[in-house]
Amino acid sequence: MQTPEQKVRNYIKESRIRGTRLLQKLVQEPSTRGDESGAQAVIIEKCRELGLEMDIWEIGDNGLTVHPAFCSDRKDFNGNPNAVGIMRGTGGGKSMILNGHIDVVPAGDAKDWERDPFSGHIECGKLFGRGSTDMKGGTTSLLMAMEAIKNSGIKLKGDVIFQSVIEEESGGAGTLATVLRGYKADAAIIPEPTNMKLFPKQQGSMWFRISVKGKGAHGGTRYEGVNAIEKAMLVIDRLRILESQRNERITDPFFESIPIPIPINIGKIHAGDWPSSVPDLAVIEGRMGVAPNETLDEAKREMFEAIAEVCNVDTWLRENAPELEWFGASWLPGDLDPEHELIHVLSESFMDIKEKSPLIEASPWATDGGILSKVGGVPVVVFGPGVTETAHQANEYIKLEDVFEAAEIIALALLKWCEVSD
């Protein structure tokens, strides 16, 4: 007689064609922001096929937009719902949230792609298309794991709560909506593309804008003006020092392989409107990384103080202080004790499938894990198939073998965590 572990592993091995078709259908639905409904329909159909208890709703209520963690410039969520499917347990076991986002970033210039960005083309064991790695491959792993358990006739004691959310790429409003709707559990797994590593800690991040004033003048008499670009360079130099100072404090071994654990990236600069004029305004926009063990407010305060220091050493900036504002997206950091039981359960399951210990590191980017852990109080590990090197890029792809192996690992973790019912 087969053990529950053997049953789910064999089921997943025998379901690879079906799993591939599911992933292909998801990738072929271009679920960019504001157009998530088509891919969500595929998800909902699959969840209903599995007999899950469904909750489908358009986010925006339950105090979402006034919550301190809400961050989105999107005004209309109509027609693009969140979807939650629950596999009820028999009682007495621990519960698990399986969280995946359905939204993908834009494809960019189609000329950079070898094929249609939403083709779902398969070649040499890889499935290509926007969202294949980030993170429809991981979502497919979740659904395959749940299907293997259910269709193998195995009942768990604890509930499994599958979540397919919108808005992750823009700040996590979809996952925040699930928390405010009351969905919590004893733990959560988010299968972002970690290259099959375990991430108990996740970097947070925020977008910032710094407006630096100058004084306009004719380029021929530039000495009569104050060049805002040159003053902005002083600010940027100080931000580089701040980045070094903040990263020198990070001694967590989980960050050892990451050259800059919490970067301050300058992503955009706008200044001037005429080559023969001295620009009177320079606007810097960028992203500030936030350490797992700090708050967004603490990081904001450090940047404010760094800019104030520049003003103390420059007469013009002292009298014309740059304006710092926070806009657009932000993500809460995540910080799970590496000795948490969920780490041990996932590590054991990984060892069962891969016959080696997993690499455990910190995430170099933000996820919805910060919302689940900091707002929902749910312990989170980020673990999934795919590599970030292909995410958000042209010719994005995922190795199908990783999708299937991740499904097996997650299925075994569910058996251990939620416990098999007699």
Side-chain angles (χ1 to χ4, degrees):
M1 177 180 286
Q2 290 185 330
T3 65
E5 290 78 11
Q6 290 170 331
K7 287 181 179 179
V8 296
R9 291 191 65 182
N10 288 337
Y11 186 94
I12 291 170
K13 284 180 170 59
E14 294 167 1
S15 303
R16 291 188 170 200
I17 293 176
R18 186 161 57 251
T20 300
R21 287 174 179 166
L22 173 61
L23 175 55
Q24 191 173 50
K25 285 176 66 176
L26 286 172
V27 170
Q28 288 171 345
E29 293 288 346
S31 54
T32 49
R33 196 180 194 209
D35 194 25
E36 301 96 339
S37 60
Q40 284 293 58
V42 175
I43 292 288
I44 293 166
E45 179 185 16
K46 185 64 180 179
C47 289
R48 285 178 171 156
E49 175 190 312
L50 296 177
L52 304 184
E53 179 184 315
M54 295 302 297
D55 184 12
I56 304 163
W57 79 101
E58 293 169 344
I59 72 173
D61 57 0
N62 296 329
L64 176 68
T65 58
V66 297
H67 192 279
F70 175 78
C71 180
S72 177
D73 60 355
R74 185 169 172 179
K75 306 301 181 185
D76 184 7
F77 300 101
N78 291 332
N80 296 283
N82 267 359
V84 172
I86 304 173
M87 188 165 70
R88 292 288 180 192
T90 60
K94 294 188 292 294
S95 56
M96 177 72 80
I97 285 174
L98 303 176
N99 175 284
H101 67 84
I102 199 65
D103 56 311
V104 302
V105 298
D109 191 343
K111 295 178 181 177
D112 293 333
W113 289 77
E114 294 180 5
R115 298 176 182 83
D116 182 337
F118 300 100
S119 67
H121 175 77
I122 299 171
E123 184 176 327
C124 299
K126 301 174 182 178
L127 190 147
F128 291 80
R130 173 60 80 231
S132 55
T133 278
D134 189 11
M135 59 169 287
K136 292 176 179 178
T139 295
T140 299
S141 296
L142 297 181
L143 290 167
M144 290 184 73
M146 295 178 71
E147 179 180 340
I149 292 170
K150 188 171 183 63
N151 289 359
S152 296
I154 299 168
K155 293 187 180 298
L156 301 177
K157 293 182 179 180
D159 294 343
V160 179
I161 305 167
F162 168 78
Q163 302 176 342
S164 182
V165 301
I166 66 172
E167 283 291 287
E168 189 274 345
E169 297 287 3
S170 305
T175 291
L176 179 60
T178 67
V179 174
L180 298 182
R181 201 166 175 87
Y183 289 109
K184 298 183 182 181
D186 294 308
I189 297 172
I190 301 179
E192 292 276 10
T194 68
N195 197 20
M196 306 292 274
K197 300 175 184 178
L198 306 188
F199 289 169
K201 300 173 185 284
Q202 302 102 53
Q203 175 192 148
S205 66
M206 303 177 287
W207 289 0
F208 64 86
R209 179 184 293 122
I210 305 172
S211 299
V212 184
K213 296 179 181 178
K215 180 182 177 183
H218 191 288
T221 54
R222 70 175 184 83
Y223 43 81
E224 295 179 351
V226 177
N227 194 310
I229 294 176
E230 294 175 358
K231 295 303 179 183
M233 290 168 63
L234 298 178
V235 174
I236 292 173
D237 287 343
R238 183 61 184 89
L239 292 182
R240 280 286 164 261
I241 294 172
L242 175 62
E243 179 186 66
S244 296
Q245 292 172 332
R246 286 170 53 76
N247 282 276
E248 285 172 0
R249 298 199 302 259
I250 295 180
T251 59
D252 192 320
F254 286 163
F255 282 101
E256 284 182 357
S257 66
I258 302 174
I260 308 176
I262 47 173
I264 298 177
N265 180 64
I266 306 301
K268 184 178 177 182
I269 298 178
H270 174 75
D273 52 17
W274 193 251
S276 291
S277 296
V278 175
D280 60 2
L281 179 67
V283 180
I284 305 164
E285 292 182 355
R287 172 195 183 277
M288 183 182 196
V290 181
N293 61 348
E294 73 175 336
T295 67
L296 301 186
D297 285 341
E298 288 170 342
K300 288 178 180 179
R301 185 168 58 251
E302 280 204 293
M303 181 172 286
F304 177 83
E305 292 172 352
I307 294 173
E309 288 180 14
V310 177
C311 296
N312 288 336
V313 298
D314 184 271
T315 302
W316 174 262
L317 293 179
R318 187 182 305 123
E319 297 176 356
N320 301 271
E323 178 183 339
L324 170 63
E325 58 182 310
W326 304 92
F327 77 104
S330 70
W331 291 264
L332 293 170
D335 189 8
L336 182 66
D337 183 344
E339 294 303 318
H340 192 278
E341 184 183 358
L342 179 58
I343 297 289
H344 295 303
V345 166
L346 271 170
S347 296
E348 290 172 6
S349 301
F350 186 97
M351 177 74 79
D352 290 341
I353 303 302
K354 302 283 283 183
E355 298 183 347
K356 62 180 180 180
S357 298
L359 292 175
I360 303 177
E361 297 181 355
S363 169
W365 24 255
T367 74
D368 276 357
I371 290 173
L372 284 174
S373 60
K374 297 293 174 67
V375 181
V378 180
V380 177
V381 171
V382 179
F383 161 77
V387 294
T388 56
E389 287 78 6
T390 74
H392 294 210
Q393 297 186 26
N395 303 307
E396 179 181 349
Y397 70 85
I398 192 166
K399 294 180 180 178
L400 291 168
E401 183 65 27
D402 289 349
V403 174
F404 306 136
E405 286 192 342
E408 290 188 44
I409 293 166
I410 292 168
L412 295 191
L414 290 174
L415 298 180
K416 292 180 173 72
W417 183 263
C418 301
E419 299 180 60
V420 177
S421 182
D422 295 332

